[in-house]
Amino acid sequence: RTPHNSRKESLMSTEESKNVVLRFIEAARAEKLASVDTMGEFLARDSVHHFGTGQQFSREEYTNMFARYYEAFPDLEYVPQEVIAEGDTVAVRFLARGTHLHPIFGCGPTGKVITYTSTYFYRVANGRIQEDWENMDVMGFQAQLDQAAPAKD
């Protein structure tokens, strides 16, 4: 874990933490969250998204990443397979599925349904997600994208 912010954080019950994350997931699935304003309801202003490769993203960068995925996969769905919570931490195992209709990461669209898994650990305080850690099946995702023709510049 990265050190908590120096300002005092309000601890929440396990159930409250779980509810914040489940509302975030439900809103993301229903509204295709792709704006800082909308995501701001769930993510702390200084929240950090940790990707499994060691990269870290600010709330704005995380929002932009969501937008890129929803642009490439307009019907993208993150379906929770399992949710476990303890204290301020909520773990969610997702199955993601969407039709690859637009370029992403230099790969042109395949028109095929791409499926991959991700596991997130969210830390919640003050009614918002303070940070999360994502471990995505990058190799499975990339293998499916590799079937695509390179994107045209």
Side-chain angles (χ1 to χ4, degrees), residues 1-5 9 46-50 54-56 88 123 130-133:
R1 274 193 179 177
T2 52
H4 292 202
N5 296 330
E9 292 183 344
D46 58 352
S47 64
V48 178
H49 172 74
H50 305 270
Q55 295 172 293
Q56 293 184 4
D88 66 351
R123 186 177 64 81
Q130 303 296 316
E131 55 189 330
D132 69 71
W133 294 262

Side-chain angles (χ1 to χ4, degrees), residues 20-55:
V20 168
V21 171
L22 290 176
R23 285 188 305 111
F24 172 66
I25 293 167
E26 198 51 46
R29 291 177 71 197
E31 300 174 28
K32 307 285 191 226
L33 296 179
S35 78
V36 174
D37 292 337
T38 306
M39 289 184 82
E41 180 181 337
F42 303 98
L43 301 174
R45 183 173 306 285
D46 58 352
S47 64
V48 178
H49 172 74
H50 305 270
F51 196 67
T53 59
Q55 295 172 293

